[in-house]
Structure formats: structure tokens, C-alpha cells
Amino acid sequence: MEFPLLWVINILITIYLVIDSKKTGKNPVLWGIMGFLFGIITLSIYWIRTGKKILGWILLILAIIFTILFILFILAVLFMSFSYI
């Protein structure tokens, strides 16, 4: 159930980045592709580059923390599954 939600979030981020990058004079194709592929990390970098620095840095730090925690969780699950062999 989580993966379709992530797809929807990435699509909404892509739409926002394409529309807003046209307003700020940035390349909408580049920001749209990056937003679709990397989602929240791209949104936070975009906000840092366009003047919403505090919100961008907070979002970037949170995204990095959650990514690291997710990787550690996957590694823990793999370790636990192989430890019973």
C-alpha cells in the first residue's frame, strides 16, 4: 500500500516543480524529471535554490534521516532472515 502512495506523492511533487519552475525561470523539464525520480529530496533542493532555504533544509535533513532509517531497517530484516539458516 505504501508504494502507490509514494508514486502519487512523486507525481504531485513533479507537477508542483514543473509549474513553479516556470515561474522562477528554471528549467521545468529538468526539475520535473528530477522530482519524479527523487521526490522529496529534489523538492527540498529546489526550495533551497529558490529562496525557501529554512523549509528546504529541514525537509532535506528529514528526508536523509528517513532514508537512512529505511536502509537500516531493510538491512536488519535481511540480517534477521539469514540468521536463522
Side-chain angles (χ1 to χ4, degrees):
M1 183 65 187
E2 292 84 20
F3 291 114
L5 180 62
L6 291 176
W7 281 100
V8 170
I9 290 172
N10 279 358
I11 290 170
L12 292 174
I13 288 172
T14 300
I15 293 170
Y16 170 78
L17 288 172
V18 168
I19 292 171
D20 198 59
S21 63
K22 288 179 185 177
K23 294 177 188 175
T24 58
K26 306 282 186 201
N27 186 352
V29 175
L30 173 70
W31 285 106
I33 292 171
M34 296 295 288
F36 185 73
L37 294 176
F38 301 109
I40 293 177
I41 293 176
T42 303
L43 179 63
S44 61
I45 292 171
Y46 177 78
W47 280 346
I48 292 169
R49 303 257 332 202
T50 57
K52 298 178 184 177
K53 293 188 185 301
I54 294 174
L55 183 60
W57 279 110
I58 291 171
L59 188 62
L60 182 63
I61 291 168
L62 288 175
I64 291 171
I65 288 171
F66 284 121
T67 302
I68 291 171
L69 288 175
F70 179 73
I71 291 170
L72 289 175
F73 175 75
I74 296 297
L75 289 174
V77 168
L78 288 173
F79 178 73
M80 293 297 288
S81 66
F82 287 123
S83 67
Y84 291 115
I85 295 176

